[in-house]
Amino acid sequence: MFAVVGASGKIGHATSLALREANMPVRAVVRHDSRSDQLRAIGCEIAVADLYDSDALAKAIAGAETVQVIVPPSLQANDGAQQMRIAIESIGSALEKTNPKRVLAISDYGAHVDHDIGMPTMCRTLEARISKLGGHKVILRSAEHMQNWARAIPAAVASGTLTSFPISTDMPLPIVSAPDVGQIAAKILLQPVEDDRLEVVHAEGPRRCSVDDVAAVLNQLLGRNIDVKVATRSQWKNGLQHAMSPSLAELLVKANDALNQGGLIDVEPDSGTVFHGTTDLLDGLRPLLPS
């Protein structure tokens, strides 16, 4: 049995689908049963559990040989970082209670950095908790998701200007489609389980892309010119706070600071395999355009 925690998300759904296509039994763990219809339709067993309820989560994953976990940020939590820490401890406790043979945790590029760089540092906390478990542990660090551009694209379409957080708009950055991360995870999970071992791997797209590349793809999709404008740091924060709590916005601002330093939000030097997804930027951004 493969248990996928957060199976209704883009990564979790893609993992579940790929495992089912390989005729593997999948238990899809979701927070609300109302989000399980698509998973049930592909043949998943459904378990409902709140990420913050360790006992319920342990019950949901009990008996699974392999468990995939992810810690999604809570957009409106008063203290987004603390909420993630609580979820991480809940997950760790549930895994200790059930003792699966293998755990795969979805993490972030930059999680290897040992000082606070915001969101990747929260994933570093997840990695540290997972590393305490027995069995085969896989850390799958994901590059920035193409789907995160969904926050900026509607304004770019309306105004003709794409706002850039990176200062260097021509700097190629690792990026990946979220469903590709799920598919890569499934390929890893279909390999034989190994003994007590910690493995770190990375996932990014077929090529690295700059903000200028994003604008060029939007030009192609829209058939008109989209300019690029670099936002100031205060504009980053104000813009993010319109969409999420100030505490979560601060995690992303710190991550953008690290990105602008160059080399931090990247593959850890001399560490782990890099898997490449197949979705290019054009196909990744196309579904994000306003209908």
Side-chain angles (χ1 to χ4, degrees), residues 77-143:
N78 289 331
D79 188 337
Q82 181 61 14
Q83 282 293 100
M84 292 185 75
R85 292 187 193 99
I86 293 170
I88 289 167
E89 182 53 38
S90 175
I91 289 170
S93 178
L95 291 168
E96 285 175 340
K97 293 171 185 174
T98 53
N99 195 30
K101 292 183 179 180
R102 174 170 52 195
V103 175
L104 184 148
I106 305 296
S107 184
D108 269 359
Y109 272 37
H112 65 283
V113 177
D114 61 5
H115 60 274
D116 186 8
I117 57 170
M119 191 60 74
T121 301
M122 300 311 305
C123 288
R124 181 177 177 86
T125 303
L126 172 64
E127 293 186 10
R129 187 65 179 87
I130 295 299
S131 70
K132 296 178 181 179
L133 303 172
H136 184 194
K137 302 163 288 282
V138 183
I139 303 297
L140 176 54
R141 293 179 182 157
S142 168

Side-chain angles (χ1 to χ4, degrees), residues 166-182:
I167 295 170
S168 300
T169 64
D170 61 349
M171 177 173 59
L173 301 169
I175 192 169
V176 66
S177 177
D180 281 3
V181 179

